[in-house]
Amino acid sequence: MIGAKSGWNRREFGAGAALLALALGIPAAGVKLTNLDAEDQPSERQRRLLADVSDLVIPRTDTPGAMDLGVGDFVVLALAHGLSGTRAPMASGAVTAAIEPFRRRDGSIRHLPWLERALDHAAGGDFLRYEPAERARLLAALDEAAFAQGAPPSPWTAVKGLILTGYYTSEAGGSQELRYELVPGKWEWDIPLTPDMRAFSSDWTAVDFG
């Protein structure tokens, strides 16, 4: 677990750092694992909550779940590095009253504190005290509201996108959850689809994460 004063050790950062390096296209050694800005350093509870939420999005089945792969740590690092535009200012007109307290001076959003507050508010207290089925229901409601047609921008869309990015750029996500075929390969103009067929990780245009 995270030490309140000591920060994250190398082992705890391993999975998240490797995934972030892959997503950014840089060597893992180039990812800064320590000395995050204070506002980017999650609390123990925020890290636990993000790991849990990641696993609710992609639970363990016959392939590893998001928690197994350290996807929560990836999201923390991705947010700190501004991956997928998460450090870009949010337009003032798009900031709702629920988001305003989590806006930085530069207009960007502090996603982790927002997520913690949003889920605790939805739970009427401590989101993590509920059983998995209830946590899944509460998260599904948040997800539905964020992606509803005409809904105002929500920080959840960015967090969920990073969860999916972290998972599907991992070795297990790209080679077990998805089906890998070395490209180039032979041309097959007609491939029968069966219920157990997985999407191809080597053909991102055919992968639907929505």
Side-chain angles (χ1 to χ4, degrees):
M1 297 296 292
I2 305 172
K5 296 182 179 179
S6 62
W8 296 11
N9 63 40
R10 181 166 53 187
R11 180 178 180 182
E12 290 170 334
F13 261 109
L19 290 175
L20 181 64
L22 178 59
L24 292 176
I26 61 177
V31 179
K32 299 297 184 183
L33 304 186
T34 57
N35 300 323
L36 290 178
D37 290 343
E39 64 180 11
D40 294 324
Q41 187 78 259
S43 66
E44 280 194 45
R45 185 176 189 273
Q46 287 171 349
R47 189 184 180 205
R48 179 187 166 198
L49 183 142
L50 190 52
D52 182 83
V53 166
S54 299
D55 216 53
L56 291 173
V57 174
I58 309 178
R60 181 189 301 173
T61 55
D62 59 330
T63 56
M67 189 180 295
D68 297 318
L69 304 181
V71 170
D73 287 353
F74 165 86
V75 176
V76 171
L77 288 169
L79 290 171
H81 285 264
L83 195 66
S84 298
T86 51
R87 290 304 292 261
M90 179 179 279
S92 297
V95 178
T96 64
I99 296 176
E100 179 61 39
F102 304 99
R103 202 163 83 157
R104 298 184 181 92
R105 289 185 178 181
D106 64 5
S108 62
I109 304 301
R110 295 182 295 122
H111 290 76
L112 288 185
W114 171 85
L115 181 64
E116 182 178 36
R117 173 61 182 141
L119 291 175
D120 283 344
H121 178 74
D126 184 356
F127 173 79
L128 292 173
R129 71 184 172 89
Y130 287 101
E131 294 297 316
E134 180 63 10
R135 296 202 303 270
R137 186 191 70 80
L138 293 169
L139 183 63
L142 179 71
D143 185 89
E144 183 177 0
F147 286 95
Q149 185 173 4
S154 169
W156 169 245
T157 60
V159 174
K160 184 178 182 180
L162 290 174
I163 291 171
L164 297 174
T165 297
Y167 186 84
Y168 287 105
T169 54
S170 71
E171 181 179 0
S175 64
Q176 297 178 39
E177 173 67 18
L178 300 177
R179 176 179 172 182
Y180 180 78
E181 293 287 346
L182 185 63
V183 178
K186 66 178 181 179
W187 167 251
E188 296 185 51
W189 66 275
D190 187 11
I191 301 177
L193 296 179
T194 60
D196 61 342
M197 195 170 190
R198 300 182 185 276
F200 289 89
S201 62
S202 48
D203 180 10
W204 285 83
T205 60
V207 178
D208 181 9
F209 297 143

